Amino acid sequence: MRRSFTTDNKLIRFGLGIVTVLIALLCSGCTSSIQKAREDPSKIYRGYDGPKLPKEEVATVWWHWYPYTAVSIDGNPIIIPSRSKMRFLGAELSPGPHTIRVSARAIKSVPVAIDFDVDLSGGNVYRFEYKSRLYATEPVDYAISIIDAETEALVAGRPPEVLKWSWSDWERALQRLKRDLATEKQTIELISKPVRHMCDNIAAYLVSVRP
């Protein structure tokens, strides 16, 4: 009986090992496929007029096509090239402020649109990072952010930490927003549960502590 139990454990460990290897190979293949696609100029949206500028003079932003994708930049819809079956995977934009609209979805949820106001620097590379609650239904259920690829600094959006909260976290978030003189938009981005929308009393609280 003991011998059979030991054999079963070995088989389970062997099976888990195979699954782990397969997942690693699948992820590696997916990453390789995305990287290859990003090297295709037709997958990069150019957000400026005139001849192509060198990398040092533009800001490059990368994203995925699922479960989220950029759908417009500065109010201009991102068109799928007629010769391609996939959407743009990135953009080259002039330095300065931009608004990037992203369509995102989670398991069993309809897509939601989220706007990102971001100030980009020439020569820098940025990437989107995505996380959501399992059954996300509103923008507040998503933690989508734009990260500086070199410094790993949060440039815009909400970090994954906002999806996990406690009342002490809530109090610290309010103190941080007060200290940083947060705008209404920043407040909505950073505060997760238990508030889903900007409430009058929170707005009044933030205004009252401004110098």
Side-chain angles (χ1 to χ4, degrees):
M1 189 73 174
R2 184 178 299 170
R3 195 173 294 174
S4 175
F5 180 75
T6 303
T7 301
D8 288 345
N9 275 347
K10 287 182 178 179
L11 288 173
I12 291 172
R13 286 197 296 270
F14 179 72
L16 289 175
I18 292 177
V19 170
T20 301
V21 171
L22 289 175
I23 291 175
L25 289 173
L26 182 61
C27 291
S28 175
C30 182
T31 302
S32 176
S33 175
I34 291 174
Q35 185 59 41
K36 185 177 180 180
R38 285 178 174 177
E39 294 172 358
D40 183 349
S42 68
K43 303 297 188 297
I44 302 175
Y45 173 82
R46 189 186 298 179
Y48 57 89
D49 298 324
K52 181 176 174 60
L53 297 174
K55 296 289 186 182
E56 298 75 24
E57 297 182 23
V58 297
T60 304
V61 185
W62 296 112
W63 58 79
H64 290 263
W65 59 79
Y66 185 85
Y68 71 94
T69 189
V71 294
S72 72
I73 296 178
D74 299 327
N76 301 313
I78 296 179
I79 308 299
I80 301 176
S82 59
R83 62 181 181 278
S84 172
K85 294 182 179 179
M86 292 192 299
R87 302 178 184 226
F88 290 114
L89 296 178
E92 291 183 353
L93 305 173
S94 57
H98 295 277
T99 298
I100 303 175
R101 171 164 289 190
V102 165
S103 176
R105 66 181 307 150
I107 298 175
K108 296 183 179 180
S109 70
V110 297
V112 298
I114 304 173
D115 289 336
F116 295 85
D117 294 328
V118 58
D119 194 357
L120 304 176
S121 299
N124 285 20
V125 177
Y126 304 88
R127 71 175 187 274
F128 274 90
E129 291 194 352
Y130 165 95
K131 191 173 182 61
S132 72
R133 294 192 172 95
L134 185 60
Y135 295 105
T137 58
E138 300 181 47
V140 74
D141 294 320
Y142 293 87
I144 305 178
S145 54
I146 300 178
I147 304 294
D148 186 307
E150 182 177 354
T151 65
E152 296 295 317
L154 176 71
V155 178
R158 311 171 74 226
E161 291 76 20
V162 300
L163 296 182
K164 301 177 181 179
W165 66 275
S166 65
W167 289 110
S168 59
D169 293 333
W170 167 247
E171 178 62 28
R172 282 195 295 270
L174 283 179
Q175 292 299 325
R176 184 171 66 253
L177 292 167
K178 178 176 70 173
R179 183 191 67 226
D180 297 342
L181 303 180
T183 64
E184 180 174 344
K185 180 173 177 55
Q186 290 171 328
T187 303
I188 293 173
E189 285 181 349
L190 290 174
I191 294 183
S192 183
K193 285 186 175 180
V195 172
R196 291 179 174 271
H197 303 284
M198 173 65 80
C199 300
D200 291 341
N201 59 337
I202 299 298
Y205 172 81
L206 291 173
V207 171
S208 67
V209 298
R210 291 178 184 272

